[in-house]
Amino acid sequence: MKIAFFSESTADESALKIIVRGILQEEIEETNLPNKLIYRSSSHLDRDLPSVVAALYYNSNADALLVVSDSDDTPV
């Protein structure tokens, strides 16, 4: 399965790859996001998500997009 990951950090993405692989019980192939952002925050995710969805839909062969964001400096 080809999955694109979009999150605030590469550390989050690394952990998610392990979790998703365990849940699906199959090897996953990462699909790179077009124009991958170097610096990301929750506000960047909100702003850039529509562009990422459109870019993946029209310019990739991803089967799924996994988006993860957390709340910065706020209680859970």
Side-chain angles (χ1 to χ4, degrees), residues 6-8 37 40-53 67-72:
F6 188 54
S7 68
E8 295 179 40
L37 303 171
R40 292 179 262 186
S41 67
S42 57
S43 61
H44 288 92
L45 289 177
D46 295 341
R47 182 194 68 208
D48 296 334
L49 185 58
S51 300
V52 168
V53 170
V67 179
V68 176
S69 180
D70 62 10
S71 57
D72 294 332

Side-chain angles (χ1 to χ4, degrees), residues 27-68:
E27 200 59 37
I28 59 171
E29 181 181 334
E30 182 181 359
T31 300
N32 291 328
L33 296 173
N35 301 321
K36 196 155 184 146
L37 303 171
I38 295 171
Y39 173 75
R40 292 179 262 186
S41 67
S42 57
S43 61
H44 288 92
L45 289 177
D46 295 341
R47 182 194 68 208
D48 296 334
L49 185 58
S51 300
V52 168
V53 170
L56 285 173
Y57 182 79
Y58 292 110
N59 301 314
S60 83
N61 56 357
D63 296 314
L65 169 64
L66 183 66
V67 179
V68 176

